[in-house]
């Protein structure tokens, strides 16, 4: 068995209603005034209320930063850091989707560091420490609460990642109640994102290991069995809990066995066209699976039946093809768009997308089959209509 390293968030609290314990948790970490990072929709829906009440009850001031938008731009992150510095916070807490959590993680490291954000993009480049950090996801998708990753959109519409262990929070708070009102379109997109995390972790070229494999398999069982119910019957708390748990397990897996070409080809769609992250993944997923098949068919055959139980007992190539077909029909079944044309991409823009995808070298090195510009262009072309 090959040597491996595994890191994750040290404390996980999974309990319905658990955001009401955030105040107590942050007080134990010595916090007196925290940056509370979220977005306006979350505040309006009242999803932050229990956490804010608990902070108040614990004698902690909350400085609310609610300017987060999807695919957080670097400029927004830097403005939020200035605001948090001016407020003099000594901790960071976030209740929100991946965009809020990723922003909170960067605020926590940038607060007590002079290192410019531009020097942090890449793997293992953050030099300082961070403030106490507690994260509660309101989507079941990114797994950001257990990953050492923040994704930011830079001035050139490129999505870049800061990947450093300092970004792992002290606590991940899983409160499925927060996801009960998640609209079907967001449930579908974020759920597919989580599935892609597990699939890409399982086929990751260099760092997959027995722990990431175990987590990815369990994640795919939970996500595969519950994504349709979570979309069609949002109030089904069993399905919501399973999705949130599945997304966290997938996050733990890909934090240690990194994602690859699906994400590399998805990011330019988010950067240029603001296609939601999970939908971007869903649009390229079947075509990347098809491209990877010659190198990863055996691994896909191991996980295909976990997602689509009807594939059990079939040959490796039948399972591979079954996964491609299964994902091609799952998107529309969940009400998602299924072609790049439907999200506003035209044929002339494909070379630009392929060029940008090839810049995601941090991700492409993990792909089971070597990606080239020509292959990326062919994948986008296949996904167009
Ligand atoms: N850090 C990581 O490891 C990691 C992994 C994958 C993706 N990402 C990044 O995360 C971001 C995407 O995050 P996301 O998919 O969670 O979405 P998001 O945070 O961008 O939110 C999408 C929309 O859903 C709304 N929303 C969120 N929770 C809701 C709820 N419970 N009810 C109603 N509306 C709700 C938000 O207000 C927003 O309008 C992207 O920038 C992506 O690149 C990060
Ligand atoms: Fe993702």
């Amino acid at each position: 068995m090959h040597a491996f390293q595994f890191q994750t968030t040290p404390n996980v609290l999974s309990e319905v209603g658990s955001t009401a314990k955030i105040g107590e948790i942050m007080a134990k970490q010595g916090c007196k005034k925290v940056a509370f990072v979220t977005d306006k929709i979350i505040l309006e829906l009242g999803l932050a209320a229990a956490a804010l009440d608990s902070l108040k009850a614990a004698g902690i001031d909350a400085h609310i930063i609610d300017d987060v938008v999807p695919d957080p731009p670097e400029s927004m992150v830097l403005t939020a850091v200035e605001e948090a510095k001016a407020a003099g916070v000594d901790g960071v807490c976030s209740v929100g989707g991946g965009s809020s959590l990723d922003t909170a993680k960067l605020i926590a490291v940038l607060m007590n560091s002079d290192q410019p954000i531009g020097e942090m993009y890449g793997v293992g480049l953050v030099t300082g420490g961070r403030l106490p950090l507690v994260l509660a996801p309101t989507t079941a998708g990114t797994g950001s609460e257990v990953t050492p990753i923040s994704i930011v959109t830079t001035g050139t519409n490129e999505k870049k990642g800061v990947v450093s262990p300092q970004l792992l929070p002290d606590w991940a708070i899983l409160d499925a109640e927060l996801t009960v009102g998640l609209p079907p379109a967001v449930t579908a997109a974020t759920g597919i994102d989580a599935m892609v995390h597990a699939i890409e972790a399982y086929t990751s070229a260099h760092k997959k290991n027995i722990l990431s494999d175990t987590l990815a398999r369990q994640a795919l069982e939970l996500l595969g069995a519950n994504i349709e119910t979570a979309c069609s019957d949002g109030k089904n708390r069993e399905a919501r809990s399973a999705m949130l748990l599945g997304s966290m397990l997938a996050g733990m897996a890909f934090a240690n066995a990194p994602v690859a070409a699906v994400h590399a080809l998805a990011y330019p769609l988010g950067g240029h066209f603001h296609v939601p992250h999970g939908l971007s993944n869903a649009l390229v997923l079947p075509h990347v699976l098809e491209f990877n098949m010659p190198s990863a068919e055996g691994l896909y055959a191991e996980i295909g039946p976990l997602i689509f139980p009807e594939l059990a007992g079939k040959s490796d190539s039948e399972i591979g093809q079954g996964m491609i077909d299964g994902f091609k029909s799952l998107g529309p079944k969940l009400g998602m768009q299924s072609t790049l044309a439907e999200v506003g991409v035209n044929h002339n823009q494909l070379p630009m997308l392929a060029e940008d995808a090839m810049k995601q070298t941090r991700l492409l090195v993990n792909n089971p089959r070597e990606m080239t510009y020509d292959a990326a262009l062919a994948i986008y072309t296949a996904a167009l209509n």
Side-chain angles (χ1 to χ4, degrees), residues 141-142 193-194 196-197 254 259 263 267 277 281:
T142 68
D193 184 28
V196 174
H197 294 156
F254 93 87
V259 292
H263 273 74
Y267 280 142
H277 174 69
N281 277 319

Side-chain angles (χ1 to χ4, degrees), residues 22-368:
I22 285 179
E24 192 188 317
I25 286 169
M26 298 216 79
K28 278 196 186 133
Q29 295 188 304
C31 297
K32 301 264 184 281
K33 183 170 193 177
V34 300
F36 190 92
V37 185
T38 187
D39 69 38
K40 294 193 170 57
I41 295 176
I42 301 293
L43 282 183
E44 273 165 28
L45 291 172
L47 296 176
L52 287 168
D53 287 350
S54 79
L55 287 165
K56 198 168 173 197
I60 299 172
D61 277 345
H63 179 83
I64 296 177
I65 295 175
D66 64 0
D67 302 324
V68 176
V69 290
D71 303 310
E74 186 185 74
S75 55
M76 183 276 290
V77 173
L78 295 177
T79 305
V81 172
E82 288 315 310
E83 216 186 290
K85 278 186 179 164
V89 305
D90 55 15
V92 181
C93 166
S94 179
V95 174
S99 299
S100 294
L101 305 191
D102 282 7
T103 303
K105 289 154 87 170
L106 285 172
I107 294 174
V109 297
L110 286 161
M111 270 297 290
N112 54 2
S113 164
D114 292 329
Q115 189 185 9
I117 191 169
E119 290 177 11
M120 294 181 172
Y121 296 120
V123 181
L125 300 178
V126 173
T127 52
R130 63 153 172 77
L131 295 182
L133 179 63
V134 175
L135 303 178
T138 61
T139 59
T142 68
S144 178
E145 69 278 10
V146 289
T147 73
I149 306 168
S150 282
I151 308 288
V152 168
T153 308
T154 63
T156 53
N157 287 330
E158 195 180 330
K159 292 197 82 175
K160 288 191 176 170
V162 178
V163 186
S164 276
Q166 291 93 326
L167 294 187
L168 282 171
D170 298 300
W171 282 85
I173 309 291
L174 297 194
D175 181 352
E177 202 58 38
L178 299 181
T179 65
V180 164
L182 202 58
V186 185
T187 305
T190 49
I192 298 266
D193 184 28
M195 292 173 104
V196 174
H197 294 156
I199 293 168
E200 294 212 284
Y202 201 78
T203 55
S204 198
H206 305 293
K207 294 189 178 167
K208 82 189 231 91
N209 59 72
I210 191 164
L211 277 176
S212 65
D213 283 353
T214 307
L215 292 160
R217 294 173 68 99
Q218 182 64 61
L220 287 171
E221 276 190 40
L222 287 166
L223 297 164
N226 288 282
I227 190 164
E228 289 185 45
T229 309
C231 288
S232 62
D233 174 18
K235 295 204 164 23
N236 185 318
R237 283 163 171 80
E238 279 302 304
R240 290 296 194 184
S241 297
M243 293 300 290
L244 197 55
L245 211 47
S247 129
M248 181 191 70
L249 299 177
M252 287 174 163
F254 93 87
N256 293 280
V259 292
V262 180
H263 273 74
L265 272 74
Y267 280 142
L269 295 168
H272 289 285
F273 298 94
H274 296 290
V275 177
H277 174 69
L279 175 57
S280 309
N281 277 319
L283 292 171
V284 295
L285 172 63
H287 308 285
V288 175
L289 290 178
E290 199 159 6
F291 170 76
N292 284 345
M293 210 49 79
S295 310
E297 187 179 80
L299 293 175
Y300 289 145
E302 288 171 20
I303 53 175
L306 302 176
I307 312 166
F308 303 109
E310 64 278 13
L311 298 177
K314 300 206 167 172
S315 72
D316 285 8
S317 63
E318 283 169 338
I319 295 176
Q321 191 56 47
M323 265 178 92
I324 295 168
D325 296 341
F327 278 114
K328 274 188 182 158
S329 55
L330 182 61
K333 212 188 279 176
L334 301 177
M336 300 169 84
Q337 290 103 320
S338 58
T339 66
L340 295 184
E342 284 173 85
V343 296
V345 180
N346 71 49
H347 191 263
N348 298 336
Q349 292 160 325
L350 301 184
M352 168 191 78
L353 291 174
E355 268 165 39
D356 271 17
M358 292 310 291
K359 289 182 193 156
Q360 299 286 342
T361 48
R362 165 179 84 81
L363 304 174
L364 291 175
V365 291
N366 305 310
N367 203 52

